[in-house]
Amino acid sequence: MITRFAFTLCLVTLGCAVFAQGPRPSNLGASSLDLGESGIQWYTTWESAEAEAKRSGRAIMFVAAATQCHGVSGVF
Amino acid sequence: MLAPDGQEWLSRASRGPEQVLGRSGATQALNRFALMYPAKANTKDAFVQDFHSFRQALNVASADQRVLVLVNAPAEQEAKLRESLRSVANDGAVIGRFHFDFDQGTQWKTNIDGTSDKSGIVLIRPGEFGLKGKVLKQLPLDTENEQIIASMQKANDQFAATTEKKVYSQHVAKGTRQGVYFEGAVPYGEDRDGDGQVDRRGGGRGRGGFGGRGAGGRPTP
């Protein structure tokens, strides 16, 4: 549903972990989204996200996250 | 949150959705922004996602636990495919379930099993740590969109049925034990105190963390 209303960008180069001063990585569990189900359709470069935002006129939710934690890949 | 021009800030920036979108709920807040900036063009024609590198695409697909759709085409065909695949990427059966990457070279084959010598639309199952992958299906570049979508749905079903959902903490602990290390462009760690610098104590790999190697256990690039 969020995909209908929010134009989103994931910049996969910064930081580690995406939540506030809340849980630490060691306390995080599994995603609430079931495998194979539809989630957010991210744009993963700024250039493509900006182009789509200008094309469609939708706002941008900019998220900076990394696909590693403590150097271990394959996780946000 | 940013306006469509990518310049005007609509909210402050913070690490948590509650600080940015308020405690009343992210969906409700996003609806407000959507009402402020309704789509002025058909969202079915939205651009197809792309990555800066296949390496990053594979890692993100692994992190999100989605099948990666690699469009491996000669340069002269890529622009046309970016256009024709819009209706595929925005199809209701596809959107939000895959990641897309365009890559013209052959370097991507290095750590992928089941590749062929031909160009094509390649459906790839990402490995557990996003460093390897396996071809689930390869389609010719001139495949009809309906057939691409059908193949993607089948790959998605297969992937979901045969993949174990990741548990964040267990994944990182396992990766640490196995010595998995993904080289990135920025220093690793967390900025929990919000000073713009990676925390050297408390936010890094300290006691009780993953593998206990201590904060900054590996040199930062």
Side-chain angles (χ1 to χ4, degrees):
Chain A
M1 178 154 182
I2 289 176
T3 54
R4 295 177 54 195
F5 300 108
F7 178 76
T8 55
L9 168 73
C10 173
L11 185 65
V12 286
T13 55
L14 300 175
C16 178
V18 294
F19 296 104
Q21 307 302 315
R24 289 184 176 277
S26 56
N27 296 325
L28 291 174
S31 167
S32 58
L33 188 69
D34 288 334
L35 294 183
E37 293 302 309
S38 182
I40 293 176
Q41 185 62 56
W42 301 100
Y43 281 90
T44 37
T45 67
W46 171 252
E47 293 79 12
S48 60
E50 186 179 36
E52 175 56 26
K54 288 178 178 174
R55 186 198 74 86
S56 66
R58 289 180 289 173
I60 298 170
M61 183 172 74
F62 182 98
V63 177
T67 47
Q68 56 77 27
C69 187
H70 298 283
V72 176
S73 52
V75 71
F76 275 117
Chain B
M1 295 297 300
L2 300 170
D5 64 5
Q7 301 295 318
E8 180 188 354
W9 289 47
L10 304 177
S11 74
R12 68 192 184 100
S14 183
R15 291 194 66 201
E18 284 191 355
Q19 289 91 333
V20 176
L21 300 172
R23 296 189 176 188
S24 59
T27 303
Q28 186 178 348
L30 290 172
N31 277 330
R32 287 200 301 273
F33 288 115
L35 290 172
M36 290 169 60
Y37 296 98
K40 65 182 184 183
N42 193 341
T43 55
K44 294 283 187 184
D45 296 327
F47 293 129
V48 182
Q49 171 198 21
D50 194 10
F51 285 85
H52 287 298
S53 69
F54 175 77
R55 176 177 179 265
Q56 190 64 279
L58 189 65
N59 193 3
V60 170
S62 173
D64 272 345
Q65 296 204 274
R66 297 182 188 181
V67 172
L68 175 62
V69 181
L70 171 68
V71 183
N72 181 229
E76 63 272 17
Q77 294 184 43
E78 188 176 293
K80 183 181 176 185
L81 284 160
R82 285 183 187 273
E83 291 298 316
S84 66
L85 289 174
R86 287 194 198 193
S87 60
V88 172
N90 294 298
D91 187 275
V94 168
I95 192 166
R97 291 181 165 88
F98 299 85
H99 283 293
F100 290 80
D101 183 42
F102 291 80
D103 193 300
Q104 296 172 8
T106 58
Q107 183 70 29
W108 66 273
K109 297 178 183 178
T110 304
N111 294 313
I112 305 297
D113 292 332
T115 61
S116 80
D117 294 333
K118 298 179 180 177
S119 296
I121 298 167
V122 192
L123 310 184
I124 297 172
R125 175 194 194 102
E128 184 176 10
F129 294 100
L131 304 174
K132 300 178 180 177
K134 179 182 178 183
V135 174
L136 294 172
K137 180 84 173 176
Q138 177 159 343
L139 301 164
L141 292 172
D142 60 354
T143 304
E144 295 290 330
N145 283 353
E146 292 75 17
Q147 190 179 342
I148 298 173
I149 292 170
S151 294
M152 291 173 67
Q153 285 182 287
K154 188 175 178 182
N156 185 50
D157 290 344
Q158 179 186 348
F159 178 77
T162 58
T163 304
E164 187 175 350
K165 200 174 187 180
K166 288 181 184 178
V167 176
Y168 191 107
S169 56
Q170 294 172 8
H171 176 87
V172 178
K174 182 179 179 181
T176 302
R177 286 196 303 273
Q178 294 185 2
V180 172
Y181 183 66
F182 185 82
E183 189 75 34
V186 294
Y188 292 158
E190 293 190 72
D191 178 20
R192 298 180 74 88
D193 57 13
D195 67 354
Q197 302 294 322
V198 173
D199 301 333
R200 287 299 167 187
R201 294 180 64 85
R205 183 192 287 143
R207 286 184 301 170
F210 299 105
R213 285 185 243 176
R218 290 178 187 268
T220 53

